[in-house]
Amino acid sequence: MADGKVYLVGAGPGNEGLLTVRGAECIRQADVIFYDRLVNPLLLEQAPIEAERIYCGKLPQKHILRQEVIQKMMVEKSREGKKVVRLKGGDPGVFGRVGEEAAVMEENDIDYEIVPGITSGIAAPLYAGVPVTHRDYSGSFAAITAHTKKETGEPDLDWEPLAKSIDTVAFYMGVKNLPFITKRLIEAGKPEDTAVMVVEWGTYSKQRTVKGTLADINDIVQKHAIENPSITLVGNVVKAGPVSTWFEELPLFGRYMWHVRTTPGAGKWSSEWKSQGAEVYEGPVWEETLPELTHLQKDLPYDEIIFETASDVEAFIAQLKKWSLDLRQVNCLLTAATRRAEEKWKDYGILPEFRPKEEWKSAGNVHIIGSEAWIEEIAPQGSSDIGHVLKSAASSDHTLERLLVDDSINTVIFPCRKAVTTAVEKINHLYNGDAGRWWSQKTVVCIGERTKEQAEKHGIHVNMTAGAAAQAVTASIQKCFSPIL
């Protein structure tokens, strides 16, 4: 078997939209993805469902996988003929150890490609409204790691040129060593009133920004409990920025939404929410199969056939093709129980009867095509076929688990009653049935009163009910929620 290829990809500073086009292409073709803690888990949703996802995140004083182990595994996976993506936060060439990993690939004669990314030292300040260079304030810029291999972890630098010759300095992961950094810069001749800005989780919906000077920034950071990952920007270019940032003023800034999905495909509203500052996880992702309709009779001796979803319509059409029949030979009434089924029939030039299951009453010779649960609910003894089978993808569950571990989600959107059941099952499984506290800490939005009733049956407090239209939902969310600071 021929060796595969390794792609060393910069995932950008965090915001899902700041991944490069080439980076997205690599993720979409990956067989294996090794990803770090600072990689937004939402980027994993762009990978193929079957791609293996390996978390190699690093926390202070704790490594999930050591660098040497990661490199060995990358070589092994490539030897298996797989396309391997090493997904790294920011730009892989800026404190990303890409040089070491590229050297290992060369030593093992593994084909590789390096894909640059947007580095957080530039992106985080911009999302706080501050450029790293400015004609009036800054003609030079430096990127500095704020920790080293020294026993103390303090940066070992030539401080005088840094303090006197560079207008703007970005320290990466600088919170722990900030007192040391400010002290050394002042001792090296940097004025105490030099402006400083610290941006925590820059470009994420949980971004926080504080400003001060070399003299007081330590107290300000402690007061607001700012932690890593953060970028510390030292330089009077900070004064060029606004008092409050454009990003943190967006209407849905601070909202990390779980838009619970019950059907394959992406939702209609997430792009609008993202444009207004929210991060959105649309899940679970559903794998769908269309089984053969074994109970459907070829002569179609029915008064009516009822379809639950668009997939059931597709299964019916596929069965007709197997029998070499076309729609002109179907003489029974075709009924859509959902709008999705109705729209699918319209794609075939058919205007079906629309009658939701709440209005359906058994009459005459009827055949039902839908999911197993739906059939059991409305006609357990009637003539029926399972037209589609849905299974949530393990890859999407992996993403949800990462979001829960990071405690990212603060808002849950239920578009329908089935979404409530789906989410409750997922959370109960991940929390071993003890999920009450998790739900109590979330803002819950239901689309429609019946969805709200379903949520309340599960003991979930519903904060608001919105109409079933993109603009109505967005307007209701904006009206109900003020930005989380």
Side-chain angles (χ1 to χ4, degrees):
M1 178 183 294
D3 287 348
K5 185 173 180 177
V6 172
Y7 299 86
L8 306 171
V9 179
N15 188 287
E16 189 182 4
L18 297 180
L19 175 69
T20 66
V21 172
R22 180 56 182 155
E25 290 174 348
C26 294
I27 293 173
R28 291 182 189 129
Q29 68 178 0
D31 297 309
V32 185
I33 297 179
F34 293 84
Y35 69 99
D36 287 344
R37 171 180 172 242
L38 297 184
V39 169
N40 190 333
L42 295 179
L43 297 180
L44 302 176
E45 295 294 275
Q46 298 190 37
I49 287 176
E50 65 276 8
E52 184 179 5
R53 292 145 168 85
I54 300 175
Y55 179 63
C56 36
K58 299 173 184 177
L59 296 168
Q61 282 75 53
K62 182 179 181 181
H63 293 244
I64 304 300
L65 291 175
R66 302 295 303 183
Q67 181 68 19
E68 296 77 12
V69 175
I70 296 170
Q71 293 168 175
K72 180 181 178 182
M73 292 175 67
M74 289 164 58
V75 170
E76 292 173 348
K77 295 292 184 181
S78 176
R79 292 280 190 231
E80 295 172 8
K82 296 179 177 179
K83 295 177 180 178
V84 179
V85 169
R86 176 72 166 105
L87 200 55
K88 311 168 78 68
D91 181 279
V94 181
F95 312 123
R97 304 185 71 171
V98 74
E100 300 171 39
E101 293 174 344
V104 170
M105 298 307 116
E106 291 185 356
E107 290 168 6
N108 288 273
D109 199 25
I110 299 294
D111 192 18
Y112 72 93
E113 176 183 336
I114 300 176
V115 180
I118 299 174
T119 183
S120 58
I122 295 174
L126 282 175
Y127 264 57
V130 177
V132 295
T133 63
H134 190 286
R135 186 167 59 178
D136 297 330
Y137 293 97
S138 176
S140 56
F141 167 71
I144 306 292
T145 179
H147 56 87
T148 64
K149 291 182 178 180
K150 289 176 59 177
E151 186 174 337
T152 62
E154 296 167 346
D156 188 10
L157 302 168
D158 191 347
W159 292 95
E160 186 170 344
L162 191 65
K164 295 182 177 180
S165 301
I166 305 296
D167 295 325
T168 305
V169 183
F171 289 93
Y172 286 61
M173 298 293 187
V175 170
K176 178 181 178 182
N177 290 324
L178 187 57
F180 174 80
I181 291 169
T182 55
K183 179 175 181 290
R184 293 306 306 269
L185 285 173
I186 292 171
E187 290 175 347
K190 202 78 168 173
E192 291 189 3
D193 63 353
T194 301
V196 181
M197 177 175 69
V198 181
V199 186
E200 177 189 66
W201 286 106
T203 80
Y204 282 88
S205 64
K206 55 186 173 182
Q207 172 179 306
R208 291 197 297 162
T209 305
V210 296
K211 296 180 180 180
T213 65
L214 284 176
D216 62 15
I217 192 64
N218 292 303
D219 293 336
I220 294 171
V221 164
Q222 290 184 10
K223 176 182 177 181
H224 293 275
I226 300 294
E227 298 180 348
N228 284 325
S230 289
I231 292 293
T232 300
L233 199 70
V234 179
N236 287 327
V237 72
V238 171
K239 298 176 181 178
V243 175
S244 55
T245 73
W246 67 268
F247 180 54
E248 294 173 28
E249 289 183 332
L250 290 174
L252 295 181
F253 172 77
R255 289 290 159 187
Y256 204 122
M257 300 178 179
W258 177 12
H259 187 204
V260 184
R261 301 293 298 154
T262 60
T263 58
K268 299 180 293 184
W269 303 328
S270 63
S271 60
E272 183 174 351
W273 293 333
K274 291 175 184 178
S275 71
Q276 295 169 0
E279 292 187 77
V280 185
Y281 165 64
E282 287 196 293
V285 171
W286 295 96
E287 297 179 274
E288 183 177 53
T289 56
L290 303 180
E292 186 175 355
L293 306 182
T294 56
H295 296 108
L296 188 70
Q297 298 180 41
K298 185 176 181 180
D299 58 351
L300 302 176
Y302 312 107
D303 298 318
E304 181 180 13
I305 302 178
I306 302 177
F307 301 85
E308 179 190 5
T309 71
S311 298
D312 302 315
V313 175
E314 295 283 16
F316 179 71
I317 295 295
Q319 191 64 52
L320 292 182
K321 290 180 179 179
K322 290 180 182 178
W323 288 335
S324 298
L325 299 177
D326 65 33
L327 289 171
R328 292 172 296 178
Q329 295 164 278
V330 178
N331 296 316
C332 50
L333 179 66
L334 302 176
T335 299
T338 63
R339 293 298 181 189
R340 291 188 293 271
E342 182 185 34
E343 291 302 316
K344 178 55 65 174
W345 272 124
K346 288 180 180 179
D347 290 343
Y348 286 105
I350 301 295
L351 298 177
E353 180 83 9
F354 175 72
R355 195 160 68 251
K357 68 179 182 179
E358 293 81 7
E359 300 176 10
W360 182 73
K361 302 294 182 183
S362 179
N365 186 11
V366 177
H367 191 79
I368 299 170
I369 303 177
S371 64
E372 182 177 10
W374 188 71
I375 291 171
E376 283 295 323
E377 182 180 352
I378 70 171
Q381 306 301 322
S383 173
S384 63
D385 269 294
I386 296 174
H388 71 281
V389 177
L390 292 177
K391 179 182 178 182
S392 63
S395 61
S396 186
D397 290 344
H398 179 100
T399 301
L400 178 59
E401 288 183 28
R402 286 300 330 152
L403 295 175
L404 295 178
V405 168
D406 294 339
D407 195 25
S408 297
I409 296 168
N410 56 40
T411 305
V412 181
I413 311 294
F414 291 134
C416 62
R417 286 178 292 175
K418 185 178 178 182
V420 177
T421 304
T422 298
V424 168
E425 289 177 353
K426 293 293 182 186
I427 296 299
N428 282 346
H429 174 72
L430 294 171
Y431 282 86
N432 297 317
D434 185 22
R437 183 178 179 185
W438 190 87
W439 286 110
S440 69
Q441 297 172 340
K442 310 305 170 188
T443 298
V444 177
V445 181
C446 290
I447 310 304
E449 288 297 329
R450 284 186 286 194
T451 304
K452 178 182 178 182
E453 292 171 3
Q454 182 75 357
E456 290 175 341
K457 286 180 182 178
H458 288 277
I460 298 172
H461 173 70
V462 177
N463 297 83
M464 66 170 295
T465 305
Q471 291 182 345
V473 173
T474 303
S476 297
I477 292 173
Q478 290 179 335
K479 182 178 180 179
C480 181
F481 300 146
S482 58
I484 299 175
L485 300 179

